[in-house]
Amino acid sequence: MAQSKRKTYTVSQMARICGVTVASVSKYVKRHSLKPIETGKNNSKYFDEAVLSEIRSYYKDKSEKQTSSDNYRPATKDDIISELRSRIDELTATNELLRHELDVKNKQIDSAIRLANQAQQLDLTTHQQTSLPEKAVKSTVEEPNEKKKSFWSFLKG
């Protein structure tokens, strides 16, 4: 008579209490080789409070681990839009930074071209100065000798 007062549970009742599927509870019962305290009509198995509390604690721990490890919730349209807007803002900032760096590089290139042009002009100027015509050099050298000859020839003459 004491046995009839104890509460017994079927696999489907335990699944409903724990908030999981009947298949999950059935697998747990098979995996842990849990024995029913009685078998009813149509081969239905009845388990006691101890088995229910064991299954309940297993699924409670399992659900806590899942919620703590991945707080997954389906993304809404607003979440997706805000994520995309923040990504656009990041890309815009990166784009502006790259444009600024490009402007700096263009200024550096213009400055280098200017310096190269100046160096080329200077080089051309120095080459033109060293290559004076030989006639101009001889005429300036011979002119004093001609004056001397004319002076001497004047005296001799």
Side-chain angles (χ1 to χ4, degrees):
M1 216 161 166
Q3 287 184 356
S4 64
K5 289 185 179 182
R6 286 197 306 183
K7 182 78 172 160
T8 57
Y9 303 94
T10 62
V11 172
S12 61
Q13 289 172 335
M14 289 189 293
R16 197 174 325 114
I17 292 169
C18 295
V20 295
T21 63
V22 174
S24 297
V25 175
S26 295
K27 285 180 187 176
Y28 184 87
V29 168
K30 280 186 181 180
R31 193 178 313 128
H32 292 88
S33 303
L34 299 175
K35 304 290 182 200
I37 56 170
E38 68 180 84
T39 304
K41 293 181 185 176
N42 299 328
N43 205 20
S44 59
K45 297 172 178 69
Y46 293 95
F47 297 90
D48 63 352
E49 282 281 337
V51 173
L52 175 64
S53 64
E54 180 181 338
I55 291 173
R56 188 183 289 167
S57 67
Y58 171 76
Y59 284 109
K60 182 179 178 184
D61 292 343
K62 189 175 180 180
S63 68
E64 286 175 359
K65 285 180 185 177
Q66 284 180 347
T67 56
S68 65
S69 66
D70 54 27
N71 292 328
Y72 176 76
R73 65 175 178 85
T76 63
K77 289 179 184 178
D78 293 335
D79 293 339
I80 294 170
I81 289 170
S82 66
E83 181 67 29
L84 290 175
R85 281 188 179 148
S86 66
R87 183 73 178 135
I88 288 170
D89 292 341
E90 289 174 12
L91 291 173
T92 303
T94 303
N95 194 11
E96 289 300 317
L97 178 67
L98 291 174
R99 283 180 193 222
H100 177 69
E101 289 178 1
L102 184 62
D103 289 341
V104 169
K105 295 293 181 187
N106 285 340
K107 288 177 184 175
Q108 290 174 345
I109 289 171
D110 290 342
S111 176
I113 289 172
R114 245 184 286 113
L115 287 174
N117 287 339
Q118 288 175 356
Q120 187 178 21
Q121 290 296 324
L122 183 62
D123 190 40
L124 286 173
T125 305
T126 55
H127 283 327
Q128 288 174 355
Q129 288 178 353
T130 57
S131 62
L132 290 175
E134 289 183 24
K135 290 182 182 178
V137 173
K138 287 183 182 177
S139 66
T140 56
V141 172
E142 291 176 2
E143 285 178 9
N145 288 340
E146 287 179 13
K147 287 181 184 177
K148 288 182 184 177
K149 286 183 187 178
S150 63
F151 178 73
W152 285 110
S153 61
F154 176 73
L155 288 176
K156 286 182 186 180

